[in-house]
Amino acid sequence: MLKDGIMIDIRNVTKTYGIGGQTVKAVDKVSFAMGTGEIVSIIGHSGSGKTTLLSLVGGLTKPDSGSVVIDGKDIWSMDDDSLSELRNRKISFIFQFSSLVPTLTALENIMLPTTFGNYGKDVEGYARELLGLVGLADKADSYPSQLSGGQQRRVAVARAFINRPEVVLADEPTGDLDEETEREVIELFKRMNRERKTAFLLVTHSSELAGQAGRQLRMSSGSVLPFINTVSHRER
Amino acid sequence: MKTGLNTFSIAVKNLRRKIIRTALLFLAVTVVTGTLFSATLFISSMRNALKIGTYRLGADVLVVPEKYVSEARTALLAGEPTSFYMDRAVYEKVKRVEGVKQASPQLFIKPASFTCCYSVDVFLIAFEPATDFTIAPWLEKNLKKPLSGDEIITGREVPLITGDTVPFFGTPFKVIGTMEPTGMKFFDRSAFMTMDAAYTMAANSKANSMQPIDLDRSRISAVLVRVQDGYTPDRVAIRLEHDIEGIKAIASDEIINTVRKQLGGLLKGILAVSAVLWILALLMMGFAFSMMVNERQRELGLLRAMGAKRGYIFRLIITEAVIISAAGGIAGLAGGSVLLLAFKGPILSSLKLPYLVPSATVLAELTAGALVFAMITGLLSSLLPAISASTMEPYAAIRKGE
């Protein structure tokens, strides 16, 4: 069951790519909905369309057909500026790859999304708090090249919360992390979910992270297979 | 607390990323702006000097003996002292020619250095107070009195001050005033006396001077002409040459045109080099910014994912280009000025031309113009890459960068 009403509603979304003269359906007539504050995980083999689905949900790419509705608005009926504002205010991404800007320090990377909108005065204070939450308080002035892969991932995780998003779209967010750091990140996700009702759509291979999800979507060849309810697992 | 993170600071950090490439682009803009600025300033300076010079001359047409026309031009433009004479009857004929409003004779006398201790060549110019319309108004305005027979006024570069007495061809003259600088040696290195004083000086020179001067009252060097309203200097000059034999009438415009012709080749060369440099800089910057956008596709896609609008991405790329071009422009202005100062002397002496720094307004306009030009160069070169970067679909940009 969905919590508190629908926040994201994907209907019959299809996305195809032309690769080497062939058309590949990355996402094929996918429909699902997410409630406010819900945690949903997506699992599936490599190339099954998980990352493309995340980008469709986040408005990074336009579907060939179908609709993506966030907070009651079809995002592809918006103009580009409004869609950018929506991404800046309500959505955050954690990408699978290194996504830090190499010329900015860890602290500046975290603050970066706030330069695209009007945020409060104490952005830096909150950025430092987030840096502390991912255990990198002493790395504020370090550049990405001075950080390990895991540390970079943690900075990216911290950045995802600077805009106090309604939903975090995360692609393997704990991929580079050791077990202890993975647990800290999961704790951060749970805390944000609990305190701010932040929703999470997680692509993950981590059973521990997937275990936090109320529901699991399984993708295969661009299609979503029936839901698996994992609430009982989480409660257990 | 203020973040200090904004489009400008992010653009500066991006430029530091590839410091050698940034330095090369900076250098390209510096060279182009420096070349254009120094060339424009140089040409403007010479035009300015000519304008002031011809204005100072105060005449629309200068009538000189036909065979001495090149000496007359050199005297006017480069201020090289010279002596040439023609019959005074020319003056009477000039007065009667159609289109002539005013005419006044002058004498140009090339003396030796005037005392044992000075080595500056002073050009003696004698005018007729009764008809003169070039020096007399200055005297009236500044000294409130005409020149007497033993008085002279001097140009700014003559090493004499008011009150000094100096002999020319054995006749002492008292300096009663100094004219403001004009940038033209013709005026700045001249001493002005009345024609009556000049004839007396010539007559006495046989007895008083080791270098006597052979000049009687029937001789003059030139006639300065002011044309009537409705007549152009060119037309009157043609008519003068037609009506009076053995003379050459130089219209004031013609003086400028002569210089323009002299400058023409140089100007064309400078413009051609500047145009080639500009196109090269434009291509180089355009290519570099295209590369920059290509290299940073994923990063730009990430910025879009974080909520950066298309306009922001466009501004970011343009800001980077404008920072480089503004910095290069400023360096070009400084470099161009140094270059001009370094090579001004040799160029001017080979062209035999006067030089005068333009007014502060013109200088400010040229400086601002060069800076705007540099920034437009940056803007143009980054326009296409900026449009391309800002219109990329975020996910496509992120994937292309993978």
Side-chain angles (χ1 to χ4, degrees), chain A residues 17 51-52 55 60-62 80-81 84-85 87-88 93 95 97-99 101-104 108 111-113 115-116 121-124 143 159, chain B residues 1-6 9-10 13-14 16-17 298-299 301-312 390 393-396 398-399 402:
Chain A
Y17 293 115
T51 303
T52 303
S55 67
L60 296 182
T61 188
K62 192 173 183 177
D80 193 75
D81 279 3
S84 297
E85 277 168 28
R87 281 197 294 263
N88 185 242
F93 294 89
F95 292 96
F97 51 83
S98 170
S99 61
V101 176
T103 51
L104 303 181
E108 288 170 338
M111 291 192 294
L112 187 56
T115 61
F116 309 134
K121 284 183 178 175
D122 195 21
V123 168
E124 188 174 330
Y143 285 91
R159 184 178 62 194
Chain B
M1 200 181 290
K2 213 173 172 188
T3 63
L5 203 60
N6 51 45
S9 67
I10 292 172
K13 284 167 187 275
N14 283 335
R16 283 190 195 149
R17 191 186 306 200
R298 178 199 273 186
E299 192 180 304
L302 287 170
L303 297 185
R304 296 276 284 134
M306 287 178 222
K309 294 176 183 172
R310 281 179 177 161
Y312 177 89
S390 60
E393 187 186 60
Y395 188 57
I398 290 167
R399 285 187 67 200
E402 279 174 14

Side-chain angles (χ1 to χ4, degrees), chain B residues 19-29 284:
Chain B
I19 199 75
I20 292 176
R21 182 162 63 194
T22 303
L24 280 174
L25 294 177
F26 167 84
L27 202 67
V29 180
M284 187 176 160

Side-chain angles (χ1 to χ4, degrees), chain B residues 293 310 313-315 317-318 382-391:
Chain B
V293 165
R310 281 179 177 161
I313 301 294
F314 182 83
R315 277 200 310 279
I317 305 293
I318 295 286
S382 60
L383 205 58
L384 281 178
I387 291 170
S388 148
S390 60
T391 50

